[in-house]
Structure formats: structure tokens, C-alpha cells
Amino acid sequence: MEVSPIVWALTIVGIVGLLLFDFFFHVRKAHTPSLKEAAVWSSIYVGIAILFGLGVLAFGGPTMGTEYFAGYVTEKALSVDNLFVFLIIMASFKVPRADQQKVLLFGIVFALIARTGFIFLGAALINQFAWIFYIFGLVLLLTAGNLLKPTSDEDHGDTLVVRLAKRFLPATDHYDGDKLFTIENGKRVLTPMLLVMVAIGGTDILFALDSIPAIFGLTQNVFIVFTATAFSLMGLRQLYFLIDGLLDRLIYLSYGLAIILGFIGVKLILHALHENNLGFINEGEPVPVVEISTGLSLSVILGVLIITILASVWSPKGKAKTAASGAKRHATEYMDLDYETDIDEREKIYNRMVEEEDMLRKLPEKYKKLIRNETDFMDLMRSAHEAHGAAIDREPTR
């Protein structure tokens, strides 16, 4: 089904409007979103994406509607995995938490621009060369294999572009609010804020190389590819702060994504065989193979994600990660409190942290080793205990 230029224009205006709203009403003034704020706005953006999908279903028909939801769910799942990498990058650059929103919004805008370019390039290649589906399929199969390999935090912190920028451009190690440039010793220099944005932008390009072939494996409708990708990125900033402490719990997410990307890769290769025009395969004639429907694809994607999440949350390993993430989150929250914060509120947060610490102590030794950056974690716990002791000492006897 062809989408009219008016619908394209209205859709783009709506997406740009949402990004501008996000910047002027949430990001321009640096602050750390509360859990409630992040949950509310994440729900709103997911709701907007679902409403848009229902509109596609109503006006475009069941095929377009199913393709949109399959693409949206796949891209959203990949985006959650990307958030884990963003978390590592911002931790390596020690980005102040209140300024992380600006970095994330930049990442979202850059990702949308980069992926839009890849989308139209991919569509042009598909229209001209049917064999490109073979390439897309192989890319996804290789990506699925790479997801099964263990990675370290150092793999994402300092990209080549960032290393070159640090070496050849004047830069400082100190932040100046959320400014990209500052004055040091009378010279204009880069701040780490600009460098971390470069790192996020470079990572976004790599992510696009995986996600765009994945969604083209579900639909070749450019409007659906663009909107599913765009809406999967919308609300990613709020989702980061909502599941920041929960990302470690999704210990099997990479396995689930590997299955999904491998499945879509096989689907693409089957489609390529069905449309085959390469002379060395079946003498250039289409190969009679079974093609996987979009409805089946959506069912497989949802099924794999549900199983992955449940297995992550309920496994002993997942529970260990949950306790560690909870303790870290509550310790960080405690350290962010002002001196004037009511002692009852302090006690509430502190007691949650202590409960999660007790859970960690009771775990078998092999699960305690799952704590990421254990030295930093123990330092954070120690600081929280000392801060609470100081708060109790300041509190007058009641």
C-alpha cells in the first residue's frame, strides 16, 4: 500500500514535535528524573506507539498493522540492549547523572537521523538488487553469533573516534555543567560531555547496521520501517532511567536477541531464495521454499522475549543480579539526597538497601562474583553507610 506524501509529512512533523517537546520540557534544564516521572513518560511514549500502530491497522489493513507491531517490538527489544551499552559508556566517562538526559536525547536524535539514511539506502538497494536480502540475512546471522560471545565493559568505553578526538583536539577531563566546550587556562577546549556524545553517536551507527536489516526482514514497506524504528527510539531516554537499575537483571536478553536475529536472518535468506535471480543459484531461477509469514514472526518474537524475561527474573542468577542492582540503586538514591531530606525518608531508602545487602550475603559465592565493577559497588555501599551514620548523628534526639 502506497502512503501519501501528506501522511508522510504529518508523521515526520509529529515525531519532530515529540523530540522538541522532550528537549524543551524535560532535558533543557538538567535534572535526574524520578522513578515515577520515568515510568509515566515511558508509558506515554509506548502508548503513542501503540495508538499509531492501531491507526496503521485501521487504515492500512492487517498486513501493514502486523508488520508495524513486529518491527516495533523487535526494534524496541534491540534498543533495550543498546541501553546497556549506553550505561557502560556513560559510566566510563563518569557523566553526572543530572546531565545524562542530554546525552541520551542526542543519541536518540543522532540514531534517528543515521537510521533514516540507512533505511532509504536499504530500500534503494532492495529495489535494485534482490540479492541484497542474502547480505542482510548473513549480517543478522553473524550478529546473532556475536551476541553469544562474552563482552567486557572496555569494549564500548573508548571508541576509535573518541581516542582520536582526545589525542588531536584540546580536551579537559572536567565537566562544566552540560556545556560541550569550556575555557581552561585561557583556551577553548572540549569537555567530556562532547566526547561522550561522540562515543554514543559512533555506537549508534554500529547499532543501525544490525537493526535496519532486522526490520527489513519483517517488512519492505519503507513507511513501516521508518515509523517502527522512530517510535522504538522515542521514549528511550525515559526508559533508560526507568530500567537503569534493572538492566543487569536481564541476564539472558542477549540470548533472546540472538535467537530473534537468527530467526529473522533465516527468514531473509528464505525470502532471498524465493526471489532469487543469482545465476549460480538454481540457474538464476526462484527457489521454491517456504516463506515465514509476518504473523508467525510476531508470535516468535513475542514468545522469545517473554521467555527470556521470565527466565532472567526467576533464575537464581537473575535473582542475584536483582539484589545487586537494587542495592546499588538505593545506595545511589541515598547518596543523591540533600542534607535537609527528612530522616524518615532516609531510613526508608537505607532499610531497602540493607535488606538487599543481606540477600547478597546469603547468596552462594559464585553468584556474588556476578556484581559488575565489584570494587566500585563496595565503595558505594560503604559511602552510603557512612552518609547514613552522619545523618543519624546530625538528627536531634526525638
Side-chain angles (χ1 to χ4, degrees), residues 35-345:
L35 193 62
K36 180 181 178 181
E37 178 186 340
V40 168
W41 283 103
S42 292
S43 301
I44 288 173
Y45 278 108
V46 170
I48 291 172
I50 292 173
L51 285 174
F52 184 86
L54 292 175
V56 172
L57 190 66
F59 296 100
T63 299
M64 280 186 70
T66 305
E67 288 176 350
Y68 169 82
F69 282 111
Y72 174 74
V73 171
T74 300
E75 293 296 305
K76 199 70 173 178
L78 289 169
S79 296
V80 170
D81 191 51
N82 298 351
L83 284 180
F84 184 75
V85 179
F86 291 168
L87 176 64
I88 293 171
I89 291 173
M90 286 196 280
S92 69
F93 279 91
K94 296 181 174 60
V95 181
R97 193 160 176 79
D99 296 324
Q100 290 179 3
Q101 292 199 94
K102 191 170 187 177
V103 175
L104 287 167
L105 186 60
F106 166 82
I108 291 168
V109 173
F110 187 89
L112 188 54
I113 293 171
R115 294 184 193 199
T116 298
F118 279 116
I119 287 167
F120 285 102
L121 175 62
L125 290 173
I126 287 169
N127 289 332
Q128 293 294 321
F129 311 105
W131 51 262
I132 201 68
F133 286 112
Y134 287 113
I135 304 297
F136 283 179
L138 289 173
V139 167
L140 293 184
L141 291 175
L142 289 172
T143 303
N146 287 332
L147 283 173
L148 300 177
K149 296 179 181 178
T151 58
S152 64
D153 292 0
E154 288 76 17
D155 293 339
H156 306 287
D158 245 9
T159 63
L160 175 62
V161 176
V162 172
R163 290 196 297 270
L164 290 174
K166 286 180 176 179
R167 183 173 180 181
F168 295 107
L169 297 175
T172 177
D173 294 329
H174 307 292
Y175 286 90
D176 185 5
D178 59 1
K179 294 178 182 177
L180 304 182
F181 298 89
T182 189
I183 303 298
E184 188 175 80
N185 299 324
K187 295 181 180 180
R188 185 176 174 84
V189 294
L190 307 178
T191 69
M193 180 63 70
L194 181 58
L195 293 176
V196 73
M197 286 185 173
V198 171
I200 293 286
T203 306
D204 277 330
I205 292 176
L206 296 178
F207 289 155
L209 297 176
D210 300 335
S211 67
I212 298 307
I215 195 167
F216 269 118
L218 299 168
T219 176
Q220 283 82 60
N221 186 313
V222 178
F223 181 76
I224 297 300
V225 172
F226 172 75
T227 53
T229 300
F231 282 111
S232 73
L233 293 171
M234 303 300 295
L236 201 59
R237 176 184 63 79
Q238 294 86 347
L239 187 63
Y240 173 88
F241 288 96
L242 178 62
I243 67 174
D244 179 359
L246 310 179
L247 283 172
D248 277 352
R249 306 185 197 186
L250 301 178
I251 55 175
Y252 299 122
L253 179 61
S254 60
Y255 297 103
L257 290 176
I259 293 171
I260 290 171
L261 292 180
F263 172 79
I264 297 174
V266 171
K267 183 179 186 294
L268 272 170
I269 290 174
L270 289 174
H271 181 72
L273 290 169
H274 188 268
E275 302 289 328
N276 179 63
N277 57 11
L278 294 178
F280 58 88
I281 298 178
N282 198 35
E283 298 181 350
E285 295 297 319
V287 180
V289 294
V290 176
E291 286 212 78
I292 301 170
S293 68
T294 307
L296 176 60
S297 299
L298 179 58
S299 300
V300 169
I301 291 165
L302 289 173
V304 169
L305 287 176
I306 290 170
I307 293 171
T308 297
I309 292 169
L310 292 178
S312 296
V313 171
W314 292 108
S315 69
K317 188 176 178 181
K319 289 179 180 178
K321 284 282 192 177
T322 297
S325 296
K328 180 181 177 182
R329 185 172 71 256
H330 288 121
T332 302
E333 186 178 355
Y334 192 92
M335 295 301 293
D336 287 343
L337 296 176
D338 296 326
Y339 285 115
E340 295 79 13
T341 303
D342 182 72
I343 191 63
D344 291 332
E345 179 65 19

Side-chain angles (χ1 to χ4, degrees), residues 3-16 223 226:
V3 178
S4 69
I6 294 177
V7 173
W8 266 103
L10 290 174
T11 302
I12 292 171
V13 168
I15 290 170
V16 172
F223 181 76
F226 172 75

